[in-house]
Amino acid sequence: YGQKDSLVWIANNIEKHGLVIADEVGLGKTWLALLTMFAYLEEGANVAAVVPAGLLLQWSNEVEKLNQEMSKARIPMKQVWKPKIIRSFQGVYECLNENEDYPIVDNINGNFALISQ
């Protein structure tokens, strides 16, 4: 119930107030942030999140779990969203393949960025 209530509040207030998510460890901040990011991606926005370096793998795993849960719950999404993980300035160039160009966070291709803090 807490996450659902939080998502409703975010949806109703984000345009007026912006968004900072903070609370105790283990209360669902990552999923709240990812669901908010997915909502923006679904609406055509490009998204980048700055994440503590030690949590990049966890966030990437949570994205995969969230995509699976959305599919299992039969919640329609335009595509499966995939993070491009950027750990350094050099990583900006390394995460592009030969068929890609800027912007890195091009949601047309289902991508968003997780950038190391």
Side-chain angles (χ1 to χ4, degrees), residues 18-58:
L19 178 66
V20 173
I21 299 173
D23 62 23
E24 296 295 324
V25 173
L27 294 178
K29 293 179 302 294
T30 304
W31 275 46
L32 283 174
L34 289 173
L35 286 165
T36 303
M37 291 164 51
F38 277 22
Y40 272 91
L41 290 163
E42 288 288 311
E43 292 298 318
N46 291 325
V47 172
V50 178
V51 177
L55 297 179
L56 284 169
L57 181 59
Q58 175 191 334

Side-chain angles (χ1 to χ4, degrees), residues 41 44-47 78-82 100 103-112:
L41 290 163
N46 291 325
V47 172
K78 293 178 182 174
Q79 54 191 311
V80 174
W81 301 105
K82 303 170 294 291
E100 293 179 312
I104 295 166
V105 290
D106 175 12
N107 85 10
I108 293 170
N109 294 316
N111 298 321
F112 65 96

